[in-house]
Amino acid sequence: MKCTELSNNIMKELKKEKILKKICIVQVGDREDSNRYIKNKIRKCNELGIEVELKKFKEDEIDNLKLREIIGMANLMRLPLFVQLPLPEHLDETLVHNIDYSMDIDGFGYETLGRIVAGHSNKYPCTPKGILTILESITDLEGKDVLIINRSFHIGKTLALMLTDKDCTVTVAHSKTKNLQDKIDNADIIITAIGKANYFNADNFKKGQIVIDVSINFDDDGKICGDISKNEYEKLNKKGVLFTEVPNGVGLMTTTSLMEQIKNL
Ligand code: GUN
């Protein structure tokens, strides 16, 4: 399943009103996946009339002190800002949580995350927000058994809370989880963000299951792919498994969710 139509419909609604806002994106390094995300985010911002300042640093151009300063300045100047993750190892990723709630378009701030735990946030990290939009467009979530294979704060952990609030029964799996296939077999919905090209094939899933492939990987030929092998798409379709493709799947919805959050600032 591609998410192009779902994303286009949301963008069409958002385009009805010009969004006269400026945002700032901070990128450190030159990762291919980050370049791709950022390019798509800027393109969508341009479509909506949102001004974007991209602060792109080489890895050795920035340290924790400078990153802290940039985030502090954005809070002070009331400039909505997000820092593209992952950051290079020498930088402290927890700094991204210091963005004020009112400037938090990416849903990474401490207040946003605390509000999600408390069950009353109107902001969310954009990937879980996009996944929720996809799931709600294809199924009734009440009572569903969901397996999330990822425990990062901006995918698995927050999504687990959001889906729990939608009356799902959620299992969070990770690299130390035992008997993963048993857990897959028992789930109605599987959300995978393992980050390994061709990790799954059609034999891992059964008819009626919904599989959301969150990962953006690059295969041996440098082509973009998810955790599910592209060669298996046809078999999965034949089997009756509903799954999101990569590209044009969750990544599209992550950027679309960011646009919704900028509009709602
Ligand atoms: N890296 C992967 N997804 C995201 C996202 O939604 N926001 C940011 N800032 N970095 C990411």
Side-chain angles (χ1 to χ4, degrees):
M1 182 182 84
K2 293 190 197 298
C3 299
T4 323
E5 196 183 329
L6 185 59
S7 164
N8 286 346
N9 288 343
I10 295 171
M11 286 295 288
K12 219 186 272 170
E13 276 304 305
L14 292 174
K15 272 181 199 163
K16 285 186 177 161
E17 228 178 288
K18 258 233 168 332
I19 307 174
L20 294 171
K21 287 181 179 136
K22 178 181 171 178
I23 68 156
C24 177
I25 302 175
V26 177
Q27 182 183 9
V28 184
D30 196 35
R31 283 177 64 108
E32 226 176 317
D33 53 351
S34 293
N35 285 338
R36 191 179 170 97
Y37 259 127
I38 289 171
K39 191 173 129 221
N40 288 331
K41 285 170 183 173
I42 293 175
R43 187 177 46 76
K44 279 208 169 86
C45 280
N46 290 339
E47 281 176 34
L48 298 175
I50 299 161
E51 192 184 333
V52 184
E53 179 187 353
L54 173 63
K55 286 183 194 285
K56 185 166 179 174
F57 297 95
K58 294 198 177 80
E59 292 202 7
D60 59 1
E61 264 179 344
I62 183 164
D63 57 10
N64 284 325
L65 199 67
K66 180 145 185 182
L67 183 59
R68 187 188 291 276
E69 207 177 274
I70 290 170
I71 295 169
M73 273 311 277
N75 288 334
L76 214 63
M77 311 277 293
R78 324 290 304 152
L79 175 65
L81 167 141
F82 72 84
V83 180
Q84 186 67 31
L85 296 185
L87 286 170
E89 279 205 349
H90 73 284
L91 292 175
D92 176 8
E93 266 190 7
T94 65
L95 288 174
V96 304
H97 302 309
N98 292 326
I99 191 83
D100 283 355
Y101 187 67
S102 57
M103 296 296 106
D104 188 8
I105 44 177
D106 212 20
F108 284 8
Y110 279 126
E111 183 172 343
T112 302
L113 298 173
R115 280 174 180 255
I116 293 170
V117 176
H120 61 90
S121 185
N122 55 13
K123 299 183 179 193
Y124 302 93
C126 296
T127 299
K129 182 175 163 66
I131 293 169
L132 197 59
T133 305
I134 296 170
L135 287 174
E136 286 186 318
S137 76
I138 52 179
T139 191
D140 176 13
L141 287 170
E142 189 181 305
K144 291 285 191 312
D145 287 315
V146 183
L147 173 68
I148 304 174
I149 316 172
N150 182 280
R151 59 173 157 181
S152 67
F153 83 86
H154 62 102
I155 303 179
K157 268 188 206 164
T158 37
L159 184 59
L161 293 167
M162 290 157 71
L163 288 172
T164 304
D165 282 349
K166 295 285 176 188
D167 300 325
C168 293
T169 305
V170 182
T171 304
V172 179
H174 45 76
S175 54
K176 304 289 188 293
T177 295
K178 288 179 273 177
N179 306 323
L180 182 64
Q181 189 57 49
D182 289 349
K183 293 176 175 63
I184 292 173
D185 291 344
N186 289 318
D188 301 307
I189 299 169
I190 299 107
I191 292 153
T192 173
I194 293 177
K196 289 191 179 149
N198 305 325
Y199 191 86
F200 288 121
N201 61 48
D203 295 336
N204 293 110
F205 307 110
K206 60 185 186 196
K207 182 178 163 65
Q209 285 183 321
I210 295 172
V211 187
I212 306 289
D213 191 345
V214 186
S215 294
I216 292 190
N217 309 312
F218 294 91
D219 65 18
D220 293 342
D221 301 327
K223 284 224 172 85
I224 186 171
C225 63
D227 292 339
I228 304 172
S229 169
K230 262 196 187 32
N231 299 332
E232 302 290 308
Y233 282 3
E234 207 180 311
K235 266 194 243 167
L236 282 165
N237 279 325
K238 274 198 188 129
K239 210 170 175 178
V241 176
L242 189 57
F243 63 98
T244 59
E245 298 183 19
V246 179
N248 298 316
V250 173
L252 258 186
M253 295 306 296
T254 297
T255 53
T256 306
S257 299
L258 178 69
M259 299 307 121
E260 290 183 293
Q261 247 158 209
I262 295 172
K263 177 165 187 197
N264 292 337
L265 268 184

